[in-house]
């Protein structure tokens, strides 16, 4: 086949893949937002058929020959086409090296295990979940070994979620935090205890909170014709293409910070999802470089912008107008301090900026033990609690608020957690670079996001999945990933509180 | 192949078809409700690929052999399996007898023609739309001839939307209305002119109207876990399976009757969509016998229940509590009269119960001329206006409020309109039968829908598409479709106003 024909075939493959992904993405978004509760029954049936169809459309000899054929013609292809082929081959090898029978078994196990985790969390019963967790670890080890027998299993998993990152990188990252951030946490937390934050839990009418969400996204210059804000139990973003991104938030009648900051966070993911270069739109290279880089954008908008003094000073008068009774006696500075108050807490998703990465560190070290060490699954709750005592100074009173709190392991995902912490660290490094050319603080203080958005778009978002995280950081910052920026940012911010 | 194997293959075909329909149904619902405005761009691309995939999954030799093979084994199959095979063969012949090239051309024409109609309606410019309308008629004629050359083209189209109904049936139906209803309309309308209805256009807060929607569906005993109420420009229902139906309404801040009655109407469609027998759920026989029978259920809830004196008397105290300022000075009887006030109007979708069918009659007679007569498309606006003058006593001042008002023709749908009027007539006949065993008025007056729902479920809804409309009416009512019930219902109700 001629190269042009092959490229045409690649385009057809992309269009087919995109169509299925779009339909399954919308169906999943719908299922998590507006679909009636009992819809899960027949949706499962439909989704499982469509997954099978998608599998068959991709894992077959025709596609295989096309992809490896194009790989051989590397020199004739442009940069973007080569990256598409590489990305598809990665996907192809990831799926096709696992025997289909075991892949189906794992899918089944994940569903059962997820259900078992839900029960176990509700009943504070780790032992009932332990056999599933054991099997999940075994499957992950086995699959990693099928796929890349030359690599350590946990490195294979880390690479799935954060391409190019291995244990060595993550270790260095956490070592830096242990050295530069952990030592001061106790003091910062105890000094902050007197910060007033009671007003965050007053009654905030939900319709006004909804208005606030759109005030925030308007302020960030998002085009209302390109996104929609839904509601769901856990906030998430579904990026479908450059004109179609949906994110959700959760409104609580007695909290203001929760939906405020999940809107800012998800808006960051959404902006990323809308900003791929047009030639990458709806292709395999759209939608972001990695979990960690995605998280860098959400954390950028949530924390570096949203929890900055300048932003709160800019937006607080509007909030007071929306909530005159609730915030009438509060100053912008008090609000700033309240939403930044560091606390040593048990629950990751409620953690403040300062302590967040320590929650991740606990999970990373335990995952590392699962794959590298010789640990017995039954001992994990005790290990978890000991690490919380060591890093955060508190001991979970039960496993529901301890090792059972997160959905990931029950759902079969291991190696995912580090990307959360990496995202925050990447964001700090990007900010430092941005500040070389943009007066970040004063732009935020003016409520003008034109330059900031453009910088993030041109340096990060427009590239989609063209570069690996490491390549992208090097290209954007002119140096390797360096966690010192993050440590400095945290120290500067929290010591000054 | 053995019969059991073939039935297994049929089941697989059903599951595949269902999965694609589910995903495309959800995507379409999403597109009409929560999707961002600009999502249409890439949704079109994805939907077109998926339509092609669905086509290929169905129109192929394997499916053909399976279906016709099963047809030959008719005697070995149970009743439901035979009906499935018949239904699939109908679909198969409908699609496969049209050359794929022309089918694609027609799809393209429909999109362009729909766009042209929108422009023409906006600009009151029938002439710019006329060439498209001409082509739409030609395509419909040609396709009908490919499919069933032995039948008249318009009968083929009528049969698509209302199986078993031909011009003879529809003619008889409208003759009865002309004889029994039309003569008294002028008098009824003029007598009703003094009915007060100004309060329907007061300011009704939308959040309260939303509450009212759920009060109504709760009252009808609908299970909130099985349906969801969305919002869209034009209300519609998307029935996906026995646990997943979505309907929409449109809330206007200065109207109460619009969302009230579209909720009642769509709830009727939704209840039908949730009530197929379990063994028909997610199969080709789920979801309703025909457009007309579906409309009989929506009109039943909207009009026979919702616009009855008993229902309004039951629900009005609740409405007064919701809208104390707006309805404080209104009695239930006044509300009843206002929402039933007959008016000769120009717009079909705003018509009252009495005059609604006359709007349909105009469209039916014109469609009949398009296919049976020798009419010139350019003359249609004048013909339209003349018929409005004759049946309704008013002349449209322009084509926007005349022949250009409906979406159907521009979108290529001809033969669809009669099912709207038939639905109302079927509903009256079902009501007469129901009243033989159920004290309808007093059940409604008590706000108890247990018996009424059960009757409709057992006699109509549970059967899905097992019977044709004619068969279902015969089975349920013990006689043929008889429009006299409808004429009597209208005369009794409106003469007593």
């Amino acid at each position: 086949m001629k190269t042009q024909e092959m490229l045409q075939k690649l385009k057809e493959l992309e269009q087919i893949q995109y169509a299925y992904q779009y339909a399954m993405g919308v169906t999943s978004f719908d299922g998590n937002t507006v679909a009636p509760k009992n819809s899960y029954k027949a949706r499962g049936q439909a989704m499982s058929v469509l997954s099978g169809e998608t599998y068959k459309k991709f894992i077959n000899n025709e596609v295989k020959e096309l992809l490896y054929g194009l790989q051989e013609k590397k020199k004739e292809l442009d940069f973007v086409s080569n990256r598409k082929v590489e990305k598809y081959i990665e996907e192809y090898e990831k799926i096709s090296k696992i025997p289909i029978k075991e892949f189906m078994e794992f899918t089944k196990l994940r569903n059962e295990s997820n259900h078992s985790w839900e029960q176990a969390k509700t009943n504070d019963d780790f032992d009932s979940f332990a056999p599933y967790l054991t099997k999940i670890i075994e499957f992950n080890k086995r699959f990693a070994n099928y796929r890349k027998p030359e690599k350590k299993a946990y490195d294979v998993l880390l690479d799935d979620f954060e391409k190019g990152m291995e244990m060595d990188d993550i270790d260095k990252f956490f070592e830096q935090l242990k050295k530069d951030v952990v030592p001061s946490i106790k003091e910062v937390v105890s000094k902050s205890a007197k910060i007033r934050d009671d007003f965050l839990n007053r009654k905030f009418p939900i319709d006004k909170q909804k208005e606030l969400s759109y005030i925030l996204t308007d302020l960030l210059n998002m085009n209302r014709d390109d996104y929609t804000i839904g509601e769901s139990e856990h906030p998430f973003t579904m990026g479908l293409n450059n004109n179609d991104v949906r994110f959700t938030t959760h409104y609580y009648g007695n909290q203001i910070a929760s939906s405020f900051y999940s809107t800012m966070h998800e808006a960051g993911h959404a902006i990323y999802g809308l900003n791929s270069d047009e030639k990458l739109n709806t292709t395999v290279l759209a939608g972001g470089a990695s979990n960690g880089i995605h998280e860098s954008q959400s954390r950028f908008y949530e924390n570096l912008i949203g929890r900055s003094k300048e932003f709160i000073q800019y937006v607080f008068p509007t909030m007071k107008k929306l909530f005159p009774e609730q915030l009438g006696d509060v100053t912008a500075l008090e609000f700033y301090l309240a939403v930044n108050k560091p606390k040593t807490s048990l629950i990751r998703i409620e953690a403040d900026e300062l302590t967040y990465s320590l929650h991740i560190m606990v999970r990373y070290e335990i995952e590392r033990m699962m794959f590298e060490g010789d640990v017995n699954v039954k001992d994990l709750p005790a290990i978890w609690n000991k690490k919380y005592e060591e890093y955060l100074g508190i001991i979970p009173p039960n496993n529901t608020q301890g090792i059972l709190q997160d959905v990931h392991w029950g759902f079969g995902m291991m190696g995912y957690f580090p990307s959360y912490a990496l995202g925050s660290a990447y964001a700090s490094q990007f900010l430092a670079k941005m500040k070389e050319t943009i007066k970040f603080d004063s732009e935020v203080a003016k409520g003008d996001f034109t330059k900031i958005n453009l910088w993030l778009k041109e340096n990060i978002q427009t590239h989609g999945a063209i570069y690996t995280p490491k390549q992208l950081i090097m290209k954007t910052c002119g140096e390797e990933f360096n966690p010192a920026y993050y440590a400095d940012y945290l120290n500067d911010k929290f010591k000054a509180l």
Side-chain angles (χ1 to χ4, degrees), chain A:
Chain A
M1 218 188 300
K2 286 195 183 136
T3 311
Q4 277 316 310
E5 262 177 81
M6 290 169 79
L7 285 172
Q8 182 53 36
K9 287 242 172 260
L10 185 71
K11 202 172 171 185
E12 285 163 24
L13 174 68
E14 281 180 341
Q15 284 174 344
I16 297 256
Q17 292 279 314
Y18 171 72
Y20 282 93
Q21 270 160 25
Y22 186 85
M24 293 203 286
V26 168
T27 304
S28 155
F29 176 79
D30 173 270
N32 282 297
T33 52
V34 302
K37 198 174 160 206
N38 286 338
S39 67
Y40 74 93
K41 297 177 190 175
R43 180 171 50 253
Q45 185 189 327
M47 291 288 263
S48 130
V49 170
L50 289 180
S51 307
E53 291 292 306
T54 319
Y55 182 94
K56 282 187 258 171
K57 288 268 161 201
F58 187 56
I59 303 296
N60 61 58
N61 279 331
E62 204 185 328
V63 169
K64 191 176 175 179
E65 279 167 27
L66 176 67
L67 296 177
Y68 289 93
L70 280 166
Q71 198 181 36
E72 280 171 27
K73 301 195 169 186
K74 207 167 178 159
K75 285 178 187 162
E76 297 174 46
L77 308 187
D78 63 25
F79 177 64
V80 169
S81 301
N82 271 320
R83 274 297 294 140
K84 284 181 184 173
V85 172
E86 272 173 44
K87 184 92 180 160
Y88 270 130
I89 287 179
E90 255 171 50
E91 282 298 305
Y92 196 91
E93 297 200 338
K94 183 171 169 180
I95 304 173
S96 65
K97 286 195 175 167
I98 297 166
I100 177 77
K101 201 173 149 250
E102 291 182 45
F103 188 82
M104 305 289 280
E105 272 172 44
F106 186 53
T107 306
K108 197 163 160 260
L109 171 66
R110 284 173 66 188
N111 280 318
E112 289 167 4
S113 164
N114 183 50
H115 184 70
S116 160
W117 164 76
E118 282 176 354
Q119 300 287 105
K121 184 175 175 178
T122 306
N123 305 323
D124 185 22
D125 178 14
F126 181 81
D127 289 349
S128 69
F129 173 57
Y132 290 97
L133 185 55
T134 306
K135 278 190 209 164
I136 291 278
I137 298 169
E138 283 167 9
F139 264 98
N140 268 306
K141 274 186 188 164
R142 193 141 28 101
F143 286 3
N145 194 45
Y146 286 142
R147 290 170 48 205
K148 294 178 185 165
E150 72 284 6
K151 288 185 77 172
K152 289 181 178 171
Y154 192 50
D155 276 340
V156 176
L157 301 181
L158 288 173
D159 187 80
D160 280 349
F161 297 109
E162 201 58 18
K163 193 157 175 53
M165 285 285 171
E166 300 190 339
M167 283 180 274
D168 282 353
D169 303 282
I170 317 278
D171 285 344
K172 265 185 235 159
F173 171 47
F174 283 123
E175 281 313 315
Q176 180 115 28
L177 294 187
K178 273 192 201 169
K179 184 168 68 73
D180 294 344
V181 180
V182 175
S184 60
I185 283 184
K186 261 193 191 155
E187 196 198 325
V188 173
V189 166
S190 101
K191 264 178 55 188
S192 309
K194 61 180 188 303
I195 292 175
R196 178 187 165 203
D197 62 357
D198 59 294
F199 49 80
L200 296 178
N201 291 308
R202 292 176 178 167
K203 285 197 176 155
F204 292 89
I206 283 173
D207 58 333
K208 294 284 169 193
Q209 291 198 51
K210 286 186 185 174
E211 260 185 68
L212 179 59
S213 290
Y214 282 99
I215 289 171
L216 294 171
T217 50
D218 283 349
L219 182 56
L220 298 176
N221 295 331
M222 293 179 72
N223 179 352
R224 288 198 190 194
D225 292 344
D226 289 334
Y227 71 95
T228 186
I229 307 180
E231 291 175 62
S232 61
E233 182 58 32
H234 301 287
F236 70 97
T237 296
M238 169 78 63
L240 293 162
N241 58 64
N242 281 358
N243 295 106
D244 190 349
V245 165
R246 297 91 184 288
F247 74 81
T248 69
T249 182
H250 191 126
Y251 298 104
Y252 299 92
N254 60 350
Q255 285 184 37
I256 183 61
S258 177
S259 78
F260 183 104
Y261 284 106
S262 54
T263 295
M264 290 296 289
H265 181 95
E266 302 304 333
H269 284 303
I271 290 169
Y272 196 176
L274 290 167
N275 274 342
S276 290
D277 187 284
E278 265 311 314
K279 71 176 179 293
L280 307 181
N281 191 23
T282 77
T283 77
V284 69
L285 295 178
S290 71
N291 282 18
I293 300 290
H294 236 299
E295 199 71 9
S296 80
Q297 303 304 287
S298 58
R299 298 275 166 186
F300 198 101
Y301 284 91
E302 177 193 356
N303 291 332
L304 305 188
I305 293 173
R307 290 188 211 264
S308 71
K309 209 179 279 181
E310 292 76 14
F311 184 76
I312 288 169
Q313 267 158 351
Y314 181 82
V315 87
F316 200 66
T318 310
M319 292 178 70
K320 272 186 131 164
K321 264 185 220 155
L322 264 181
F323 304 109
E325 288 168 33
Q326 295 83 352
L327 299 176
D329 63 340
V330 182
T331 66
L333 183 64
E334 284 174 313
F335 193 84
Y336 165 74
L337 291 170
V339 298
N340 281 294
K341 181 177 180 174
K343 295 179 280 280
T344 47
S345 65
L346 292 168
I347 308 296
R348 175 182 63 87
I349 58 168
E350 293 168 9
D352 56 85
E353 234 180 316
L354 179 65
T355 58
Y356 186 82
S357 294
L358 306 187
H359 292 263
I360 300 301
M361 196 155 73
V362 171
R363 286 150 180 81
Y364 167 68
E365 290 181 359
I366 290 178
E367 285 189 345
R368 212 178 186 297
M369 291 168 76
M370 290 172 178
F371 288 88
E372 293 285 295
D374 199 24
V375 69
N376 193 323
V377 165
K378 290 210 166 157
D379 301 330
L380 290 178
I383 296 173
W384 177 285
N385 293 352
K386 204 156 160 275
K387 286 185 183 291
Y388 262 78
E389 190 180 7
E390 185 184 343
Y391 298 138
L392 286 140
I394 38 173
I395 305 171
N398 53 50
N399 291 324
T400 298
Q401 290 174 278
I403 193 167
L404 290 171
Q405 69 183 265
D406 292 307
V407 68
H408 306 63
W409 292 342
F411 205 62
M413 291 198 292
M414 293 172 159
Y416 189 108
F417 284 119
S419 60
Y420 287 129
L422 288 171
S424 297
Y426 294 163
S428 297
Q429 189 166 355
F430 292 144
L431 177 60
K433 187 70 189 172
M434 184 190 285
K435 283 182 169 178
E436 291 179 10
T437 51
I438 291 174
K439 290 180 177 156
F440 178 81
D441 295 344
S442 67
E443 293 295 312
V444 175
K446 284 187 287 179
D448 186 348
F449 295 93
T450 320
K451 289 179 190 163
I452 294 170
N453 283 347
L454 190 66
W455 193 97
L456 291 171
K457 178 173 178 172
E458 286 185 344
N459 285 286
I460 294 155
Q461 298 161 1
T462 195
H463 301 302
I466 288 213
Y467 304 110
T468 65
K470 283 185 172 177
Q471 289 169 340
L472 188 64
I473 292 166
M474 181 57 88
K475 187 177 158 67
T476 299
C477 302
E479 62 174 329
E480 283 188 353
F481 168 50
N482 180 354
Y485 290 102
Y486 184 43
D488 289 349
Y489 164 79
L490 289 176
N491 280 323
D492 288 352
K493 176 164 184 174
F494 285 91
K495 283 182 181 160
L497 269 193

